Amino acid sequence: MSFEKFKDRNVGEDGYYMVDIEDYPETGWGKFKQVASRSLKGELFVGLWVVLREMFKFDIHTVQYPKEKLPIGPRYRAVHKMLRLFESGTERCIGCGLCEKICISDCIRMDTKYDENSRKEVTEYSINLGRCIFCGYCAEVCPELAIVHGGRYENASEQRAHFVEFEDMLTPIDALKAGQQEEYPGFGAIIPGSDKSVKKTPLAY
Amino acid sequence: MDTAYFIETIIKIVVLLLVFSALAGFGTYFERKVLAFMQRRLGPMHVGPYGLLQIAADGIKLFTKEDIVPQNVVGPIFKIAPVITAATAFMAAAAIPFMPSFTIFGYEVHPIISDINVGILYILGVMAIGLYGPLLGGMASANKWSLISAARAASVFISYEVVSGLSLLAPIMMVGSLSLIDFNNYQTGGVGSWMIWSQPVAFILFLIAAFAETGRTPFHLIANDHEIIDGFGTEYSGMRWGLFFIGEYANMFFISFVIALIFLGGFGDGSVGGALALLGKVSFIFFFFLWTRAAWPDVRPDQLMWLCWKVLMPIAVINIVITGIVIMF
Amino acid sequence: MANEITITIDGKEIETQEGEFILNAARANDIFIPAICYLTRCSPTLACRICLVEADGKQVYACNAKTKSGMNITTTTENIERERRAIMEVYDVNHPLQCGVCDQSGECELQNYTLEMGVDSQNYTIADVDRPSVDWGHIHYDPGLCIVCERCVTACKDMIGDNSLKTVPRGAGAIDGAFKESMPKDAYAMWNKLNKSVIGLTSGEEMLDCTSCGECAAVCPVGALVDTDYIYTSNAWEHKQVPATCGHCSAGCQISYDTKHTSIDNPEEKIYRVSNEWNYVSLCGAGRYGFDYQNSDVTKDETAFGAALDAFKKADTINFTSTITNEEALILQKMKDKFGYRLVNKDAQDFKTFLRDYSVVSRSSIYGSDLEKVHNTDFVVSVGSALKSDNPNARYAFNNAVQMKGAGLYFHPVADPVVDGMSKNVVSINHAPLQEEAVLYLLLDLFGNKDLLPTKIIDYLATFHSMKTVTVTETIKEKVVTQVTKKVVNKETGEEEEVTSDVTKMVPKKVSKEVEVDDNRLLEIVGAPDKFEETLQKLLKKKETFSLIVGPDLYTHPSSQNIARLVALIEKYSAFELVMIPTLTNTLGVGLICDLDDEAGEYAIGYNTQGDYVLSALGDGDLDMPAINQQEGTLTSINKRVNPTNVAVGYGGYVLNDIANALGLKAEYTIDYTEQLPTARGFKTRKFDDLPNHYTNAGEEVRGYLLGKMPVRMKKDEHVVAIDEDQALDGTLVYLANPVRQFTPFTNKAHQLISEGGLYMSESALSGSELQVGDEVSVKTEAGEVSVKVISDNKIDGEIAYLPTFDANINSEALFGGYRFTTASIEKV
């Protein structure tokens, strides 16, 4: 449907037809005729035939959920992941606090300090997933593509403490070495072709 | 009364109770599976291979669940109601010949608990008492949904007893007996001698009435989940609710037997083939119950009354008159 | 004074003072002119050049161009916009893109102006040099982030007076010559300067050794200078800013407690830093770093509360200090009215007496000036105060006045290198203790209006003058006439003739001569340096406004009554405007609100001080009380202003109001008393919640309210007594004062300031004695004895050592008989 059509969809006539609904019978005889016609027309048997046919076709569409899962889209916003730098393996997070700031359900918190390498070190980071609404703002605002959304949507737990495990989110170092960390294409990722819109700074040396 | 007869009857009763209670369970399994397949689903799959142990799981659940008697119910009546439903269903089975008679260790067994000469009358009568289960249960529950359900149960049962009774009059006139054994013997001459051919109208009417009296789709309005929750069963839990359940499924089986015996030739000549044929017929009718549930919508209560009193009952009366005229000449 | 004039900025007519800087005039009238390096109250630095405006068709810098009547100013022209954009581009050259972790976290003026000027591309480039970040102790400097606006240098020199920072060479290569042609002129000039310098320490040492006020970090527009304690702990936007009044000294500076939850695991509010409106108020190290002195982890202990009530029923005296709010003082006064407690508070009592004695002469209930006025005077005199530790803001005012083309005199027995280092326009005179009266007589003599002064005083002052004959060696130029005989060829005759002519030459010649001069013996008494009078003449050139700051030494002086009268006479009969430094945070307020008693009774409640039953906000008493950063209330400052302060961190225990309520007074909250403060003493009936606490764009202080002047109902009496010249303290002297950044045990509770007190000795005194730093010594006076460690303090000079009051473990007050100086014997143990 084109955008124009979408906007005028109640005006045009094409593609629409009136459903043929008879008036309700008012006399007893009329009602009897309706019953008779409906009963004898075979509509009931059509219904029986359809379900029987489907039974024999045995074309089952059930996904047996815990054992089988449907693939989810790459832009799906489930439990966050904290990525590492591909080259060095260190955490990408620089502790800028923008995710903490932008979080509309106020569920992100971090503690930072000045570390021995004169860098800002994130000593503790927590996302209260019990409160998170998975809006994706944190991933969008992150300047380092450090916090992204993952595909793990099963986050029921019997303890609230389980909703804030940072270690669960961070890519394990061995997984990184095994090349299992993938760049995130969703919210906040670099738009393809954005290099073209960046002006170059003259660097003479 | 001799002791052997006494023991035989006791054994038959016990076997019947156990078999049909279990069948109620299997019935649910089949129902779920059949409905699922018809709707392109798998149905129960997790408990046991292909979900076969689902029945056991449900049984354990029903037996171990807390038996809740809500505060404002009329206690004794509330408690007795499910028993009435289950009991009447099994009582009706007393006059049904489930198999042809056979000989075991030289002892002739009649797989009927009591071949009384008013068999059909007895079955209809006892099934009519079954009305008290939903009616009392619904009225005693102190719940508006249950109360509506009780009212509907009363109207449906009373109405459709008329249809079922009148529709059976014609076959009874032809057979000249109320015993189901006699009915069976009347139709031993092969498929051509089945009552369904001489009384098709009566067959259809009785089938419709059977749906109504067992409360199955498309006449499921006594416990119509989407409007009155579980109707009279709303306040029940655990095994009390389970008794209602067993009653409903036992009723379905027994009515299937009755239909097969009256209209579809029963077990025929009493051979093994005949016995198997009877099971096949019963199974098909049971399957038909499920099939309609997958295919057809429910009707409204007023449509149901209208159908009963303005359509089915007149047709049944006309059918009797015509049958009478045909027999007379 | 300056005249009201009208000027036009961007078509808007505004009223301002003649000679005001264009930038300040614009700011006061909500007209935006970008400026980075300019600090209100300080001299223009002219580092950033971004405040370019066009005044009457000529480009000038708004921060140092003065307004003239009828001036027409345009804040932006095409050329100015080009300059500004180029300037911001230059600032962005090689500036690290680490805004994500930078501690300025968005409060960055570089960021703001870069966006304001719409810098979206970079045209300039230069090779960067290695600029590693350095730790200067309590301040951390990252030259990589520094834009060398020199605001820190300006603040340190013009406001604080430490002169600890300066620009040092960066060691960068030359700017590509091509840019000189292609760049706007001012931007190139700015870059040229910027590229040559970074900020360094004046001392040339590795660590910052100053009075540690942290003002340099506060004024830094970028994240180059950061408090070491704060670095990378929090983002600015996370803070809840609690507007408050500093509770450490009587300056009553407006501060903002920046609070946030303690950590992920601990949701309780914690103060992370103190920020200030650095354009209008400058903090000292205690105000900036001594913020976490709260009485924490206190719960309502009902047994202790019951015991406190019993103690109050038993007691006849309440001892307290002046580190309480006006409201608490009023509660104590009301309890006195109702139950007849004696209220004992030595420092407030002394100050109150001093004020009363002053009033008798001056006919004014309170001194006439304040520190705001001191900032704007051009000749300042300080008497009787260890200025930098008694009230750092008074010191800033003194320094600021001196730096802004003013001059000053500093009279104090303890030599102060910080004051000496301010400027060559400050003369500090280290008179002997007990000679403060002589100082005041000297001031009367030098500055008093002889036409108005009572004749008795004039006569008395005349007794110090005598004519004496001194031999003055003068260099005079003498005319010497010599006869010179030359051989000249006669043109007519062609013969050589001898011609004699007179040649006059001016020859310098040293002449000794006997001159009759006026000899002022007062100068000798106070120990003024040689040629003081000449120096003074130079200092007094073009000086129109005068301020006198007097301090706590005078209140406890044995002849404080006479001193108070002299001070009043100076204020009355000279151009001096007077400010007194109240001893502690709220000494002025307590003195005004409470009727104090001299002697304690038999059973005393101590509030933040000693007593038989002790209420303490320090957490060491029998019942806990909230510290000032946990209270709502008002504090009366040196500027005679009643300033509101707010709760920064929670407090879970009982407050004084709970005790008062249990004893029969009635008020739901302590601040219910704010509107009941005594109007007869100058307070106003204003509700706490109606008190403002901010500064306007024009720098006007909109905080609380000013105390009213009350009529004085005492008989006029201008009688003063003569000096006792023989009065002197012999032997080793000890002074009662605190090191910088310490005032009370409260400052010593803050984690950045915590230290152990001792006997503070100057480096010269230490080298002249056998004592070593760390030696345990016994200081013994007539009144008592304490055993302390020797500490070296390079912020004082001379022989006089001092003992602090901030360390609760050293009961130094017991050694002094009232006056802040005492003779003592110091022996090594």
Side-chain angles (χ1 to χ4, degrees):
Chain A
M1 195 193 284
S2 75
F3 186 61
E4 284 306 311
K5 266 191 161 179
F6 178 77
K7 281 174 78 176
D8 296 339
R9 57 188 164 160
N10 287 327
V11 180
E13 294 279 317
D14 34 330
Y16 290 87
Y17 61 90
M18 296 301 289
V19 179
D20 182 23
I21 299 174
E22 286 170 40
D23 291 337
Y24 280 104
E26 287 175 9
T27 58
W29 176 240
K31 285 179 183 173
F32 181 76
K33 273 202 297 183
Q34 191 191 40
V35 170
S37 71
R38 284 184 179 178
S39 308
L40 302 176
K41 230 176 169 180
E43 279 177 351
L44 288 170
F45 300 101
V46 172
L48 288 176
W49 162 242
V50 167
V51 293
L52 194 68
R53 185 191 65 204
E54 293 304 322
M55 186 169 90
F56 287 118
K57 264 196 199 165
F58 209 70
D59 182 15
I60 305 295
H61 285 217
T62 303
V63 177
Q64 300 197 60
Y65 163 61
K67 296 179 207 155
E68 304 169 11
K69 285 170 191 168
L70 289 174
I72 56 166
R75 296 179 74 94
Y76 190 80
R77 302 193 301 266
V79 174
H80 310 73
K81 285 199 289 194
M82 301 295 291
L83 302 185
R84 289 177 186 273
L85 290 169
F86 285 114
E87 299 82 6
S88 65
T90 52
E91 290 171 30
R92 287 187 184 182
C93 179
I94 55 168
C96 70
L98 286 177
C99 47
E100 194 179 5
K101 171 71 179 166
I102 205 164
C103 181
I104 53 170
S105 50
D106 202 9
C107 64
I108 302 182
R109 272 190 179 181
M110 60 172 75
D111 289 348
T112 53
K113 70 163 197 198
Y114 184 73
D115 76 359
E116 52 282 350
N117 302 320
S118 307
R119 297 179 73 92
K120 192 170 191 173
E121 186 193 336
V122 182
T123 49
E124 248 187 287
Y125 187 99
S126 92
I127 302 179
N128 185 345
L129 294 175
R131 206 192 266 175
C132 177
I133 61 164
F134 301 96
C135 63
Y137 281 6
C138 49
E140 195 177 359
V141 80
C142 183
E144 300 289 315
L145 280 177
I147 183 167
V148 299
H149 277 292
R152 185 164 70 84
Y153 48 82
E154 293 142 317
N155 42 0
S157 180
E158 66 270 19
Q159 281 196 18
R160 288 187 181 193
H162 295 168
F163 291 143
V164 290
E165 293 290 321
F166 177 75
E167 283 69 26
D168 291 351
M169 290 186 267
L170 185 68
T171 311
I173 192 74
D174 42 339
L176 178 89
K177 283 175 182 159
Q180 284 167 7
Q181 178 174 287
E182 281 173 12
E183 198 51 85
Y184 176 65
F187 258 39
I190 292 167
I191 302 159
S194 54
D195 281 359
K196 285 174 197 150
S197 58
V198 176
K199 288 185 189 169
K200 273 189 181 150
T201 295
L203 285 173
Y205 54 95
Chain B
M1 235 185 256
D2 62 61
T3 321
Y5 175 75
F6 188 74
I7 292 168
E8 183 198 341
T9 307
I10 294 289
I11 290 171
K12 280 194 278 193
I13 289 170
V14 170
V15 168
L16 181 120
L17 275 172
L18 289 178
V19 168
F20 279 91
S21 293
L23 271 180
F26 284 111
T28 63
Y29 178 74
F30 285 121
E31 177 163 22
R32 289 183 196 185
K33 277 291 185 190
V34 168
L35 283 177
F37 294 157
M38 285 179 169
Q39 294 162 354
R40 298 163 75 183
R41 294 185 287 113
L42 276 173
M45 285 297 285
H46 289 295
V47 189
Y50 302 103
L52 269 171
L53 295 178
Q54 189 69 42
I55 317 151
D58 287 348
I60 292 165
K61 185 190 83 172
L62 283 177
F63 273 103
T64 54
K65 219 174 176 182
E66 185 189 357
D67 174 29
I68 297 168
V69 180
Q71 202 169 28
N72 292 328
V73 301
V74 182
I77 296 175
F78 180 83
K79 287 173 188 164
I80 204 79
V83 181
I84 295 173
T85 300
T88 51
F90 285 107
M91 277 160 68
I96 297 171
F98 294 99
M99 296 248 168
S101 45
F102 54 90
T103 312
I104 186 164
F105 306 125
Y107 186 83
E108 193 182 8
V109 181
H110 298 279
I112 178 168
I113 292 164
S114 177
D115 180 16
I116 46 175
N117 55 6
V118 289
I120 290 176
L121 200 57
Y122 169 80
I123 290 170
L124 288 178
V126 173
M127 284 183 96
I129 298 169
L131 159 66
Y132 283 102
L135 181 65
L136 294 180
M139 287 173 73
S141 280
N143 180 315
K144 293 183 178 66
W145 308 122
S146 304
L147 192 62
I148 291 169
S149 165
R152 286 186 182 178
S155 60
V156 169
F157 273 70
I158 290 168
S159 304
Y160 277 82
E161 262 158 29
V162 173
V163 177
S164 60
L166 288 176
S167 63
L168 279 184
L169 263 183
I172 291 166
M173 282 156 67
M174 289 175 71
V175 176
S177 166
L178 291 168
S179 164
L180 285 169
I181 301 284
D182 292 343
F183 264 84
N184 186 65
N185 294 341
Y186 183 84
Q187 303 172 73
T188 46
V191 178
S193 67
W194 289 3
M195 190 64 84
I196 189 171
W197 308 126
S198 50
Q199 286 294 342
V201 177
F203 172 72
I204 290 166
L205 290 178
F206 189 78
L207 194 63
I208 293 172
F211 271 90
E213 292 197 37
T214 50
R216 299 288 303 180
T217 311
F219 305 137
H220 187 236
L221 41 86
I222 297 170
N224 217 359
D225 309 25
H226 51 263
E227 45 175 0
I228 52 171
I229 312 179
D230 197 26
F232 56 88
T234 305
E235 295 293 348
Y236 285 92
S237 62
M239 206 50 214
R240 281 189 211 284
W241 185 84
L243 283 174
F244 274 131
F245 200 74
I246 289 169
E248 184 187 335
Y249 277 83
N251 256 334
M252 278 165 68
F253 279 110
F254 297 143
I255 211 91
S256 302
F257 269 102
V258 170
I259 292 169
L261 283 164
I262 294 176
F263 292 103
L264 301 177
F267 45 77
D269 52 5
S271 61
V272 176
L276 290 176
L278 176 63
L279 285 180
K281 291 166 200 168
V282 168
S283 299
F284 176 76
I285 296 164
F286 186 80
F287 172 75
F288 189 69
F289 273 110
L290 311 183
W291 191 5
T292 56
R293 187 172 173 190
W296 292 346
D298 269 320
V299 297
R300 291 198 309 266
D302 65 310
Q303 288 171 334
L304 193 63
M305 290 299 109
W306 176 86
L307 185 69
C308 171
W309 295 108
K310 293 189 179 171
V311 181
L312 299 182
M313 195 197 78
I315 293 174
V317 172
I318 293 166
N319 189 38
I320 292 162
V321 171
I322 292 170
T323 307
I325 291 169
V326 170
I327 291 171
M328 210 158 66
F329 300 103
Chain C
M1 285 300 281
N3 311 314
E4 285 281 320
I5 55 163
T6 310
I7 59 169
T8 316
I9 303 181
D10 287 347
K12 191 180 167 189
E13 291 212 346
I14 61 167
E15 301 265 308
T16 185
Q17 307 272 322
E18 182 163 13
E20 177 68 284
F21 294 130
I22 293 171
L23 182 61
N24 285 341
R27 280 182 178 175
N29 289 281
D30 290 337
I31 296 168
F32 173 68
I33 297 174
I36 297 177
C37 69
Y38 180 70
L39 273 173
T40 313
R41 306 189 298 175
C42 296
S43 52
T45 316
L46 287 179
C48 73
R49 301 186 181 224
I50 206 170
C51 66
L52 266 180
V53 291
E54 200 174 277
D56 294 335
K58 225 173 79 189
Q59 273 188 22
V60 295
Y61 304 110
C63 69
N64 84 333
K66 292 181 174 173
T67 53
K68 286 189 210 114
S69 186
M71 213 177 217
N72 190 3
I73 294 151
T74 319
T75 57
T76 51
T77 65
E78 210 178 300
N79 188 44
I80 289 173
E81 272 179 15
R82 222 177 7 252
E83 288 277 10
R84 285 182 185 159
R85 160 144 187 161
I87 288 169
M88 289 323 297
E89 276 184 39
V90 166
Y91 275 139
D92 290 333
V93 170
N94 292 337
H95 191 92
L97 272 175
Q98 59 178 56
C99 303
V101 294
C102 176
D103 268 311
Q104 206 66 7
S105 52
E107 291 182 334
C108 175
E109 289 175 42
L110 180 68
Q111 237 177 39
N112 290 352
Y113 284 123
T114 299
L115 294 173
E116 176 75 30
M117 304 308 160
V119 177
D120 55 359
S121 62
Q122 177 64 273
N123 294 306
Y124 312 119
T125 171
I126 190 164
D128 205 355
V129 287
D130 182 32
R131 289 177 279 167
S133 58
V134 278
D135 187 11
W136 284 340
H138 69 287
I139 298 288
H140 184 274
Y141 177 55
D142 187 346
L145 296 170
C146 182
I147 61 171
V148 203
C149 67
E150 297 178 40
R151 226 149 69 175
C152 46
V153 179
T154 309
C156 194
K157 178 172 181 292
D158 286 355
M159 185 54 57
I160 308 306
D162 273 352
N163 294 321
S164 292
L165 300 175
K166 65 171 185 183
T167 51
V168 295
R170 177 186 296 225
I175 301 168
D176 187 345
F179 285 129
K180 186 166 187 181
E181 301 306 315
S182 61
M183 274 179 88
K185 198 166 65 55
D186 277 288
Y188 179 77
M190 185 285 272
W191 192 10
N192 219 352
K193 193 177 164 201
L194 165 74
N195 192 45
K196 285 177 182 149
S197 48
V198 285
I199 304 298
L201 301 181
T202 316
S203 62
E205 281 166 23
E206 273 184 15
M207 283 291 167
L208 199 50
D209 183 22
C210 59
T211 49
S212 310
C213 63
E215 200 64 17
C216 46
V219 299
C220 186
V222 291
L225 286 166
V226 183
D227 295 331
T228 308
D229 181 65
Y230 181 73
I231 191 165
Y232 291 164
T233 54
S234 187
N235 281 315
W237 63 68
E238 292 175 84
H239 293 311
K240 193 173 83 183
Q241 298 202 303
V242 183
T245 299
C246 178
H248 288 316
C249 82
S250 54
C253 299
Q254 194 229 21
I255 57 172
S256 163
Y257 291 114
D258 288 1
T259 68
K260 189 182 96 163
H261 56 86
T262 311
S263 68
I264 288 174
D265 308 319
N266 186 355
E268 262 179 52
E269 288 292 296
K270 176 186 153 185
I271 304 172
Y272 278 75
R273 66 168 179 189
V274 160
S275 57
N276 61 325
E277 288 269 15
W278 36 262
N279 265 316
Y280 312 121
V281 60
S282 304
L283 302 185
C284 67
R288 185 166 304 281
Y289 301 118
F291 48 76
D292 54 343
Y293 57 94
Q294 69 272 7
N295 197 3
S296 45
D297 302 327
V298 177
T299 50
K300 295 207 168 183
D301 181 352
E302 283 177 31
T303 19
F305 187 66
L309 291 183
D310 291 339
F312 266 91
K313 277 166 193 154
K314 195 169 149 195
D316 55 3
T317 306
I318 299 172
N319 290 327
F320 66 107
T321 64
S322 301
T323 48
I324 60 170
T325 62
N326 289 326
E327 287 71 18
E328 288 183 294
L330 184 63
I331 290 174
L332 292 177
Q333 177 60 25
K334 284 195 183 269
M335 279 160 69
K336 173 181 176 140
D337 294 342
K338 194 159 179 172
F339 307 108
Y341 293 120
R342 298 187 202 182
L343 299 182
V344 179
N345 182 339
K346 186 75 174 58
D347 73 90
Q349 171 80 324
D350 289 339
F351 187 63
K352 194 178 180 172
T353 315
F354 192 80
L355 262 182
R356 201 184 54 230
D357 295 334
Y358 156 85
S359 306
V360 173
V361 176
S362 71
R363 321 300 301 152
S364 166
S365 63
I366 196 158
Y367 49 90
S369 185
D370 58 42
L371 292 183
E372 288 305 305
K373 287 182 188 154
V374 175
H375 272 285
N376 297 319
T377 51
D378 39 34
F379 193 84
V380 203
V381 175
S382 161
V383 182
S385 170
L387 210 50
K388 70 172 188 300
S389 53
D390 283 351
N391 190 320
N393 236 283
R395 166 196 156 200
Y396 299 161
F398 185 96
N399 174 62
N400 188 227
V402 169
Q403 299 291 354
M404 307 312 281
K405 292 177 186 149
L409 299 178
Y410 178 75
F411 291 97
H412 200 265
V414 182
D416 191 335
V418 174
V419 174
D420 293 341
M422 281 177 183
S423 159
K424 60 181 192 306
N425 291 335
V426 178
V427 175
S428 57
I429 296 166
N430 307 121
H431 58 83
L434 286 175
Q435 292 304 337
E436 284 87 351
E437 281 167 290
V439 172
L440 294 170
Y441 271 119
L442 177 66
L443 290 176
L444 261 183
D445 186 35
L446 291 173
F447 300 99
N449 187 337
K450 300 276 170 27
D451 301 333
L452 299 175
L453 269 175
T455 41
K456 241 181 165 180
I457 297 170
I458 293 177
D459 292 346
Y460 177 64
L461 287 174
T463 61
F464 292 105
H465 287 268
S466 59
M467 299 308 275
K468 72 174 176 189
T469 317
V470 284
T471 314
V472 181
T473 318
E474 270 184 352
T475 310
I476 51 165
K477 285 189 174 170
E478 207 180 21
K479 202 189 244 177
V480 182
V481 183
T482 40
Q483 281 196 336
V484 181
T485 313
K486 286 198 272 189
K487 280 186 179 164
V488 178
V489 179
N490 193 318
K491 282 175 188 169
E492 286 170 17
T493 56
E495 282 172 33
E496 237 177 47
E497 291 173 15
E498 283 203 349
V499 180
T500 311
S501 60
D502 288 349
V503 177
T504 317
K505 267 193 198 165
M506 299 298 277
V507 177
K509 190 182 172 191
K510 282 194 175 169
V511 181
S512 290
K513 88 179 160 179
E514 306 270 297
V515 191
E516 284 260 298
V517 289
D518 175 47
D519 177 36
N520 191 345
R521 204 159 51 80
L522 281 168
L523 288 173
E524 187 189 317
I525 297 171
V526 301
D530 293 343
K531 300 200 178 160
F532 174 72
E533 281 176 308
E534 284 170 35
T535 323
L536 187 65
Q537 295 250 300
K538 275 186 208 155
L539 294 183
L540 280 172
K541 263 182 203 161
K542 289 190 198 164
K543 300 296 184 288
E544 285 165 351
T545 46
F546 296 82
S547 277
L548 172 65
I549 303 170
V550 299
D553 292 8
L554 308 185
Y555 317 148
T556 52
H557 196 279
S559 37
S560 70
Q561 189 186 13
N562 196 40
I563 286 179
R565 286 155 173 265
L566 281 169
V567 165
L569 285 173
I570 293 172
E571 190 189 23
K572 195 168 178 182
Y573 295 112
S574 75
F576 276 103
E577 291 189 331
L578 176 69
V579 185
M580 296 179 189
I581 299 174
T583 327
L584 285 174
T585 311
N586 202 16
T587 302
L588 178 58
V590 170
L592 292 173
I593 294 162
C594 298
D595 299 327
L596 300 166
D597 297 273
D598 291 327
E599 293 298 317
E602 284 171 3
Y603 189 89
I605 305 278
Y607 184 13
N608 287 340
T609 186
Q610 284 140 349
D612 297 302
Y613 186 89
V614 176
L615 311 175
S616 176
L618 292 162
D620 57 357
D622 299 312
L623 183 69
D624 283 304
M625 287 282 128
I628 285 183
N629 62 3
Q630 293 170 301
Q631 288 193 62
E632 288 182 311
T634 57
L635 296 167
T636 314
S637 76
I638 183 173
N639 292 347
K640 300 175 289 184
R641 206 175 259 285
V642 180
N643 296 317
T645 187
N646 282 301
V647 177
V649 277
Y651 172 72
Y654 290 102
V655 299
L656 189 63
N657 189 40
D658 294 327
I659 295 173
N661 283 342
L663 290 173
L665 293 177
K666 215 179 157 196
E668 193 181 358
Y669 301 111
T670 308
I671 51 162
D672 290 354
Y673 288 105
T674 309
E675 51 189 317
Q676 300 176 33
L677 290 171
T679 48
R681 310 279 171 93
F683 289 95
K684 291 181 180 155
T685 39
R686 289 189 51 186
K687 280 191 182 152
F688 177 80
D689 292 333
D690 297 340
L691 298 178
N693 196 6
H694 64 271
Y695 285 86
T696 64
N697 254 1
E700 193 193 341
E701 195 175 8
V702 188
R703 300 177 60 204
Y705 57 83
L706 283 170
L707 287 175
K709 264 194 181 170
M710 290 296 117
V712 177
R713 290 203 190 76
M714 279 175 287
K715 213 180 135 202
K716 186 173 170 174
D717 175 12
E718 295 192 348
H719 170 78
V720 282
V721 298
I723 319 170
D724 177 6
E725 285 178 46
D726 300 331
Q727 223 179 8
L729 295 171
D730 301 324
T732 316
L733 295 180
V734 177
Y735 184 48
L736 184 67
N738 285 308
V740 283
R741 307 213 289 178
Q742 293 286 9
F743 290 103
T744 55
F746 289 109
T747 49
N748 197 30
K749 214 178 155 188
H751 80 276
Q752 292 185 73
L753 305 184
I754 198 155
S755 62
E756 200 185 334
L759 182 73
Y760 294 83
M761 293 175 78
S762 70
E763 283 169 349
S764 62
L766 260 178
S767 60
S769 75
E770 294 152 10
L771 297 173
Q772 300 286 323
V773 173
D775 281 352
E776 190 83 17
V777 291
S778 159
V779 182
K780 202 173 182 180
T781 69
E782 283 174 12
E785 182 179 358
V786 289
S787 179
V788 289
K789 280 207 173 89
V790 171
I791 296 169
S792 168
D793 185 354
N794 62 1
K795 299 281 178 288
I796 57 164
D797 210 345
E799 290 302 311
I800 303 176
Y802 69 91
L803 280 170
T805 60
F806 73 88
D807 191 341
N809 296 325
I810 305 170
N811 187 13
S812 40
E813 269 129 330
L815 266 63
F816 294 82
Y819 188 49
R820 283 177 80 181
F821 291 92
T822 185
T823 332
S825 66
I826 300 169
E827 274 166 30
K828 196 170 167 179
V829 221

